[in-house]
Amino acid sequence: MPLHHLIYESQATRPFTEAELANLLQQARQHNEANGLSGILLYASDGRFVQVLEGEVDEVHELYFMHISRDKRHEHLTLLADGRLSERRFAEWRMGFRSATPEALAELTGHVSTADATFLLPSLPHLPNALLDKLLDYVQYAPVNPALEEVSY
């Protein structure tokens, strides 16, 4: 089955503590390991999340639509990209993590308000690879919090 990716942005209903983030990451890593998924989670001090999920389409969609979208710990989910993937960008991470500033997330998502879900329509045909590449580049050079970092396998 071909690879698939999904990228979304959301807002935490309240700020996460480091312990809550560690617990979330542990659960995600266990689930993703069992289901052949990989990805990265970015979390900013203003409570914004950006997450990339990679894997088989059914697994990616089930996780997003059946679990993530129903999780009461965040709201205002905006799907940024959803499509085929030629190769995994985050293959070494069952769920990588990086802290991000609100400004970095704004830059990564294109300095646009995601309140209107149509904001990506003009660039959609070219977005996934460019956005994935920007996220991968950010992850490779962003500061690491060792308490939350996943060890690559």
Side-chain angles (χ1 to χ4, degrees):
M1 197 172 248
L3 284 174
H4 196 83
H5 78 284
L6 184 145
I7 306 170
Y8 74 90
E9 176 183 48
S10 68
Q11 179 69 45
T13 54
R14 63 176 182 73
F16 273 57
T17 66
E18 192 167 299
E20 289 170 325
L21 280 171
N23 185 50
L24 173 69
L25 290 167
Q26 178 186 24
Q27 291 172 352
R29 290 169 181 157
Q30 288 174 348
H31 177 272
N32 291 356
E33 177 70 27
N35 293 284
L37 297 171
S38 56
I40 186 77
L41 178 68
L42 303 177
Y43 179 72
S45 59
D46 66 355
R48 284 179 57 207
F49 288 103
V50 171
Q51 185 171 18
V52 176
L53 297 170
E54 303 171 323
E56 291 188 8
V57 65
D58 292 342
E59 296 295 334
V60 169
H61 281 170
E62 180 179 339
L63 178 57
Y64 179 75
F65 292 107
M66 300 304 292
H67 301 285
I68 293 172
S69 67
R70 297 176 180 188
D71 191 325
K72 301 292 186 203
R73 295 174 289 186
H74 64 157
E75 59 193 2
H76 308 300
L77 274 75
T78 302
L79 196 56
L80 300 176
D82 183 17
R84 286 184 177 242
L85 184 62
S86 59
E87 64 182 8
R88 290 180 191 254
R89 300 298 202 290
F90 303 98
E92 298 300 316
W93 286 320
R94 293 299 126 206
M95 183 49 57
F97 175 80
R98 289 292 189 274
S99 295
T101 64
E103 296 79 19
L105 288 187
E107 184 176 335
L108 287 168
T109 57
H111 296 287
V112 295
S113 169
T114 59
D116 178 2
T118 63
F119 77 99
L120 287 175
L121 290 178
S123 60
L124 202 52
H126 308 289
L127 180 65
N129 289 333
L131 181 54
L132 281 169
D133 290 342
K134 281 172 83 175
L135 288 165
L136 179 60
D137 190 52
Y138 178 81
V139 166
Q140 289 176 334
Y141 300 106
V144 175
N145 180 339
L148 300 174
E149 181 58 27
E150 177 182 22
V151 177
S152 299
Y153 328 3

